[in-house]
């Protein structure tokens, strides 16, 4: 039996999505139950416009339940024209057919914090053997960004750094700032500018150092980048793009490109499935450390332990 529950989860901290500030998230939980198992999939519904389509796909899936094979399950997934809904059903189908991976390396994440908070984060990451940390940059004064980087390195000399600017710099500042960051031997920098044409110019100036993230808002953008010669590093948010089976097909087409899987305000149910997807690109450290975002998290408890995410 397949059904869904609509829940409003309260964020522990407000977030900004497409220029709007959100204090909670409207989440659909797909629930599949039989005599032996209960499987749950998550569909984020910030835009609050998916219910009608979801009900239609639940009805279609229910027709398959008595004769569900792997082949017709995949055919059903491919028939879904909304990647967010596909992501939810992908979780159910992955569970039914026993696709469940747990061990992928994750990077830590440092947002804008004061030095006391920053010290606590670094201690936590060191204690849990997390060697790669993504640091948010883009303060009003670049010297403040440098000060934070130096502070992190002082506390954690062996750290591997990634940077994320969220498009806060203009092109000339980005070029100058990245030149100043090269001495830190960072892995890559996400979205130093917001404009895709300027991102391409920066990629030409700093080969294999520029990662594209915010430009990839849907499957169309993602596939444009994947099949092009642009960008060596691609940060993908599957809940906007597709699930495990979609990314398994994409992996076969990826040549000389790095795909980093990143979370996007999922509950722990969604994050656990992101681990499955990230396992397809297991030689990377993925952006999945933002667990326990919500006050509720009634279905699953997760924790970071020894560089991995564990189910409690």
């Amino acid at each position: 039996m397949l059904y869904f529950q609509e829940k409003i989860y309260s964020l522990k901290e407000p977030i900004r999505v497409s220029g709007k500030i959100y204090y909670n998230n409207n989440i659909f939980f797909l629930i599949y139950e039989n005599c032996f198992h209960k499987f749950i999939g998550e569909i984020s519904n910030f835009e609050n416009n998916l219910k009608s389509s979801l009900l239609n796909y639940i009805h279609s899936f229910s027709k398959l339940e008595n004769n569900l094979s792997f082949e017709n399950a995949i055919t059903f997934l491919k028939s879904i024209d909304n990647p967010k809904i596909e992501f939810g059903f992908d979780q159910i189908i992955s569970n039914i057919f026993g696709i469940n991976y747990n061990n992928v390396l994750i990077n830590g994440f440092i947002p804008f914090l004061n030095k006391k908070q920053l010290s606590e984060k670094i201690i936590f990451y060191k204690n849990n053997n997390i060697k790669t940390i993504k640091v948010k940059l883009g303060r009003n004064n670049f010297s403040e960004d440098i000060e934070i980087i130096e502070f992190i390195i002082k506390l954690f000399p062996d750290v591997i750094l990634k940077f994320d600017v969220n498009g806060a710099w203009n092109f000339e500042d980005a070029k100058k700032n990245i030149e100043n960051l090269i001495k830190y031997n960072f892995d890559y920098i996400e979205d130093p500018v917001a404009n895709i044409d300027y991102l391409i110019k920066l990629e030409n100036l700093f080969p294999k150092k520029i990662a594209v993230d915010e430009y990839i808002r849907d499957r169309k953008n993602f596939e444009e980048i994947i099949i092009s010669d642009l960008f060596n590093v691609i940060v993908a948010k599957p809940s906007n793009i597709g699930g495990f089976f979609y990314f398994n097909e994409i992996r076969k087409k990826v040549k000389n490109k790095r795909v980093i899987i990143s979370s996007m305000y999922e509950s722990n149910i969604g994050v656990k499935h992101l681990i499955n997807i990230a396992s397809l690109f297991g030689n990377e450290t993925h952006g999945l450390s933002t667990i326990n975002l919500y006050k509720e998290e009634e279905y699953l408890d997760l924790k970071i332990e020894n560089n991995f995410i564990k189910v409690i």
Side-chain angles (χ1 to χ4, degrees):
M1 178 181 178
L2 179 69
Y3 59 98
F4 81 94
Q5 293 179 346
E6 185 174 4
K7 305 243 179 195
I8 297 177
Y9 271 18
S10 302
L11 287 149
K12 292 177 181 177
E13 300 290 340
I15 59 173
R16 183 181 294 271
V17 179
S18 301
K20 297 180 180 179
I21 296 176
Y22 290 86
Y23 297 89
N24 49 55
N25 187 8
N26 189 34
I27 301 174
F28 294 138
F29 288 104
L30 275 177
I31 301 173
Y32 177 84
E33 289 188 89
N34 59 26
C35 297
F36 307 103
H37 302 289
K38 179 178 180 179
F39 301 132
I40 303 173
E42 173 185 345
I43 300 169
S44 180
N45 190 35
F46 273 120
E47 292 82 6
N48 203 26
N49 60 359
L50 298 177
K51 185 181 291 188
S52 176
S53 294
L54 176 58
L55 285 169
N56 289 334
Y57 285 117
I58 288 174
H59 179 69
S60 298
F61 184 84
S62 297
K63 294 179 180 179
L64 301 175
E65 283 189 67
N66 293 330
N67 189 30
L68 187 64
S69 67
F70 183 77
E71 289 75 18
N72 61 28
I74 297 302
T75 299
F76 169 77
L77 274 180
K78 290 180 178 179
S79 75
I80 299 174
D81 63 4
N82 186 305
K84 292 184 178 182
I85 294 176
E86 180 185 332
F87 182 72
F89 277 96
D90 188 89
Q91 294 165 68
I92 298 295
I93 290 169
S94 295
N95 277 306
I96 289 172
F97 292 99
I99 295 170
N100 189 15
Y101 300 96
N102 289 311
N103 293 329
V104 295
L105 297 174
I106 60 172
N107 59 243
F109 176 61
I110 303 291
F112 291 164
L113 300 173
N114 62 44
K115 288 187 177 179
K116 180 179 182 298
Q117 295 168 321
L118 179 53
S119 297
E120 291 169 354
K121 278 272 191 184
I122 294 297
I123 290 168
F124 174 80
Y125 290 143
K126 287 179 71 175
N127 288 344
N128 284 281
N129 201 32
I130 292 177
K131 297 181 173 64
T132 302
I133 296 177
K134 183 167 77 171
V135 183
K136 185 173 173 61
L137 304 182
R139 294 165 179 81
N140 291 334
N141 192 325
F142 182 61
S143 65
E144 295 175 12
D145 286 338
I146 294 294
E147 183 181 347
I148 290 298
I149 294 168
E150 295 283 357
F151 185 75
I152 292 170
I153 292 172
K154 183 177 180 181
L155 292 174
F156 196 171
D158 297 327
V159 68
I160 299 168
L161 292 170
K162 301 177 180 180
F163 299 128
D164 189 356
V165 188
N166 291 119
W169 296 336
N170 62 46
F171 176 73
E172 291 302 326
D173 284 344
K175 186 167 65 170
K176 178 178 65 177
N177 293 346
I178 295 170
E179 287 172 350
N180 286 320
L181 291 170
I182 289 293
K183 64 185 176 184
Y184 298 111
N185 195 28
F186 64 91
D187 186 6
Y188 59 77
I189 183 166
E190 289 180 34
D191 295 331
V193 294
N195 180 283
I196 187 65
D197 294 324
Y198 285 137
L199 275 178
I200 293 168
K201 287 183 178 181
L202 289 170
E203 169 73 5
N204 291 332
L205 290 171
F206 305 99
K208 300 185 177 181
K209 287 294 187 181
I210 308 299
V212 59
D213 176 10
E214 296 296 323
Y215 175 75
I216 302 172
R217 283 301 184 190
D218 54 34
R219 184 174 291 182
K220 180 177 180 291
N221 296 141
F222 178 67
E223 292 183 354
E224 281 176 5
I225 297 296
I226 279 288
I227 65 174
S228 75
D229 294 327
L230 304 173
F231 303 107
N232 177 251
V233 185
I234 300 167
V235 178
K237 295 180 169 68
S239 57
N240 276 349
I241 301 170
F244 177 89
F245 298 102
Y246 171 77
F247 275 91
N248 192 36
E249 290 299 313
I250 285 294
R251 178 182 57 162
K252 300 170 187 176
K253 303 176 185 178
V254 173
K255 296 180 180 179
N256 302 318
K257 292 201 177 192
R258 300 170 59 191
V259 177
I260 313 297
I261 300 301
S262 178
S263 56
M264 190 178 177
Y265 316 121
E266 292 85 1
S267 78
N268 287 347
I269 288 288
V271 171
K272 187 173 185 297
H273 191 56
L274 292 177
I275 296 170
N276 284 345
I277 298 170
S279 71
L280 296 168
F281 311 96
N283 57 328
E284 300 289 349
T285 56
H286 297 278
L288 305 177
S289 63
T290 50
I291 60 174
N292 303 318
L293 288 178
Y294 298 96
K295 296 175 183 177
E296 291 82 3
E297 296 293 1
E298 62 193 288
Y299 291 121
L300 189 68
D301 289 327
L302 300 176
K303 67 175 181 178
I304 294 172
E305 182 179 285
N306 198 29
N307 211 2
F308 300 109
I309 296 175
K310 305 286 187 181
V311 177
I312 300 174

